[in-house]
Amino acid sequence: MGNLDLLMHGFGVAITPMHLMLMVGGVLMGLVVGVLPGLGAPNGVSLLIPLTFALDPTSAIILLSSMYWGALFGGSTTSILFNIPGEPSSVATTFDGYPMARKGESTRALTLAFMSAGVGALIGVIVITLLAGWASNFALQFGAPEYFAVYFLAFAAFIGMGSASPAKTLVSLTTGLLLSTVGMDTVTGEIRLTFGLDQLLSGISFLVVVIGLFGIGELLSTVQEGLRFRGVGSKIDLRDVLRTIAELPRYWATTIRSGLIGIWMGITPGGPTAASFMSYGIARQASRKGEAFGTGRPEGIVAPETADHSAGSCAMLPMLALGVPSSATAAVMMGGLMIWGLTPGPMLFATKPDFVWGLIASMYVSNLIGVILVLATVPMFAALLRIPFAIIGPMIVVICFVGAYTVSSASFDLWLVLLFGLVGYLFTKLGYPLAPLVLAMVLGHKAENAFHQSMILSNGSLEIFFSNTLVTSIMLIALALLILPKTLQLGSRLRRKAPVE
């Protein structure tokens, strides 16, 4: 009951003319970000953060989260109409969405995608509403050792449960941790990894790194792949929309199963992309007509879209309650909170209830706004995609450089954007995941400080990380997530290769 009262108070904070305008504007900007290949939600949110400095934190996070939802919706539009996923998490939607659109059922495909996305997001926000109070109360028991254990758990989960190879994930995490240590050590006062450059004394800006990795890096990949837009009809027929909405209850089992997958992958570091692929694969296996997947099956659209948005919503819970982001976009948002002087974690719920519950309430409203706006603006964004990429590409470059320069008005940051754009391109081409790098940059300082404090408390003994039931449990879970998933995969491969007698 307490959570319900707090949620009602949050609606009072969120539903104001100013915040409703921010939600509409954020969703529209997110649609542009999601539609245009080469941007993406993490980069779009990072570009918008400097523009939020004039807003209060509640208004700023509502704008950023609305942009995030819009980006997820926008990626589905291009997946279905052009067979070009605007977001990595929308790749699975192309498998059946584009074939259905090619058959002349683009309205049906889009409506299935957007309504499923709205339901998935609603499932995720309900989970956040129910668990937020419990998660924050639980986290109040944490001290420095427990916080370091949680950060170690986040790193271990990315290595053990990520889709990339553990070695590549470890390289990405290590790179992010090294970047987070550039500048002055807050404990010892020593200067680290500046290589004699005065511009690095204050460290490397998190936003500059993200803009380079996700903006310039993705753009380079897009150019190298020789992008071409080939779309299908995109006119929205209201009668087809209503007919498709009436059809949705048939797929209730797929929706529930995919929503649960999204919840799990959102709270853990799996993320929306892994959730959408996993949900699609399970839907295909569970279908009696599995061979028809890839030809325009409705379940092939409902499954990835529901899981994608459910995971995207649930990724906010560990970020707000524990200060541990489970996706790249959540990590960028957490970086924004820290820039505004807010520390994500259990005390945020106690000291800033208007902020937290206003954000949660805005998720309900902005997702409804997103479904309505995306159906209304599909023809406009489809026309936008027919603009030659030779025009759109330079516009994205300009946006990236302007966003990077506004962080601290330093021309040196522009060189860093180019450098990290190249790093992002190379990481993508070589199969190194970027999300662990972003996570490590955000959590690097916090993990280092928690480790220092733990060592001071224990006189340098690592036994402090197994000194009580809570910290021991977290460390054991972390070690299990680090070792067990890959061990089980290896065992499965060996069994398949073993000769049958």
Side-chain angles (χ1 to χ4, degrees):
M1 189 63 182
N3 279 13
L4 183 59
D5 291 338
L6 290 168
L7 180 62
M8 291 300 104
H9 175 69
F11 276 113
V13 173
I15 303 178
T16 65
M18 172 66 172
H19 288 160
L20 289 174
M21 287 173 54
L22 288 175
M23 289 180 210
V24 172
V27 168
L28 286 174
M29 285 187 285
L31 288 173
V32 175
V33 166
V35 162
L36 292 178
L39 278 177
N43 186 51
V45 171
S46 65
L47 288 173
L48 198 60
I49 285 178
L51 304 180
T52 65
F53 292 160
L55 301 173
D56 64 272
T58 303
S59 300
I61 196 66
I62 287 175
L63 178 60
L64 294 181
S65 63
S66 299
M67 185 179 194
Y68 178 34
W69 314 139
L72 292 177
F73 282 116
S76 306
T77 303
T78 54
S79 295
I80 291 170
L81 296 182
F82 294 87
N83 203 31
I84 300 170
E87 286 283 311
S89 58
S90 298
V91 172
T93 305
T94 64
F95 301 156
D96 281 274
Y98 186 64
M100 184 180 287
R102 288 289 299 272
K103 292 190 293 188
E105 298 180 321
S106 58
T107 298
R108 183 187 180 205
L110 290 167
T111 305
L112 282 170
F114 299 148
M115 295 305 297
S116 299
V119 171
L122 179 61
I123 291 171
V125 179
I126 290 174
V127 169
I128 292 177
T129 304
L130 296 176
L131 297 183
W134 172 84
S136 62
N137 290 333
F138 171 70
L140 285 173
Q141 305 174 34
F142 284 29
E146 287 79 11
Y147 272 113
F148 177 78
V150 168
Y151 302 140
F152 179 67
L153 171 65
F155 299 147
F158 263 102
I159 295 172
M161 300 180 62
S163 56
S165 74
K168 290 183 177 181
T169 303
L170 183 60
V171 168
S172 185
L173 275 171
T174 305
T175 303
L177 290 172
L178 286 173
L179 292 173
S180 72
T181 62
V182 173
M184 183 178 292
D185 185 346
T186 55
V187 176
T188 64
E190 294 182 1
I191 303 299
R192 306 178 296 185
L193 300 177
T194 60
F195 303 102
L197 297 174
D198 293 341
Q199 296 91 334
L200 294 177
L201 289 175
S202 58
I204 297 176
S205 169
F206 165 77
L207 290 178
V208 170
V209 173
V210 171
I211 290 171
L213 291 175
F214 291 101
I216 304 300
E218 290 297 323
L219 190 64
L220 289 173
S221 297
T222 302
V223 171
Q224 194 248 349
E225 291 168 3
L227 187 62
R228 297 289 184 274
F229 296 128
R230 297 185 179 89
V232 297
S234 57
K235 183 180 178 181
I236 296 295
D237 188 321
L238 183 58
R239 288 174 297 181
D240 286 344
V241 170
L242 297 176
R243 194 179 301 117
T244 306
I245 292 174
E247 175 190 355
L248 272 174
R250 299 182 198 170
Y251 314 116
W252 63 270
T254 301
T255 300
I256 293 174
R257 181 177 60 242
S258 302
L260 293 174
I261 292 171
I263 290 169
W264 169 249
M265 299 301 284
I267 293 176
T268 64
T273 302
S276 63
F277 276 102
M278 181 183 296
S279 182
Y280 182 87
I282 292 176
R284 183 172 56 188
Q285 292 174 356
S287 173
R288 295 178 181 177
K289 300 178 181 177
E291 68 279 2
F293 271 70
T295 61
R297 282 291 298 277
E299 295 96 325
I301 300 174
V302 172
E305 286 298 314
T306 303
D308 176 6
H309 285 249
S310 176
S313 300
C314 285
M316 301 292 286
L317 178 59
M319 186 270 282
L320 289 172
L322 298 174
V324 178
S326 62
S327 71
T329 307
V332 175
M333 288 188 182
M334 181 171 164
L337 295 183
M338 296 168 70
I339 290 173
W340 302 325
L342 300 175
T343 302
M347 294 307 297
L348 188 65
F349 285 76
T351 59
K352 300 288 184 180
D354 287 355
F355 173 85
V356 174
W357 290 99
L359 168 61
I360 294 173
S362 76
M363 293 181 187
Y364 288 94
V365 182
S366 59
N367 276 294
L368 176 61
I369 291 173
V371 172
I372 296 171
L373 286 181
V374 77
L375 283 170
T377 56
V378 161
M380 179 183 72
F381 287 116
L384 176 65
L385 275 174
R386 292 187 176 92
I387 299 174
F389 191 74
I391 297 175
I392 294 178
M395 289 173 57
I396 296 174
V397 173
V398 170
I399 292 171
C400 289
F401 279 115
V402 170
Y405 188 77
T406 55
V407 173
S408 58
S409 300
S411 57
F412 182 73
D413 287 345
L414 303 182
W415 292 104
L416 290 179
V417 167
L418 285 175
L419 173 64
F420 286 107
L422 182 60
V423 171
Y425 170 76
L426 292 175
F427 268 46
T428 301
K429 289 287 107 179
L430 297 174
Y432 288 85
L434 294 177
L437 191 155
V438 176
L439 173 82
M441 271 212 75
V442 171
L443 295 184
H445 282 299
K446 297 164 72 71
E448 183 182 14
N449 289 339
F451 184 79
H452 272 300
Q453 293 170 17
S454 301
M455 291 298 96
I456 292 171
L457 290 172
S458 66
N459 293 320
S461 173
L462 293 176
E463 292 180 1
I464 193 171
F465 298 118
F466 300 91
S467 59
N468 61 60
T469 303
L470 179 57
V471 70
T472 300
S473 300
I474 297 172
M475 290 296 290
L476 291 177
I477 293 171
L479 292 172
L481 290 177
L482 179 65
I483 298 170
L484 286 181
K486 301 304 179 184
T487 303
L488 293 175
Q489 287 180 16
L490 180 60
S492 177
R493 290 173 187 168
L494 292 175
R495 284 194 298 271
R496 285 198 300 266
K497 291 180 179 180
V500 180
E501 296 182 1

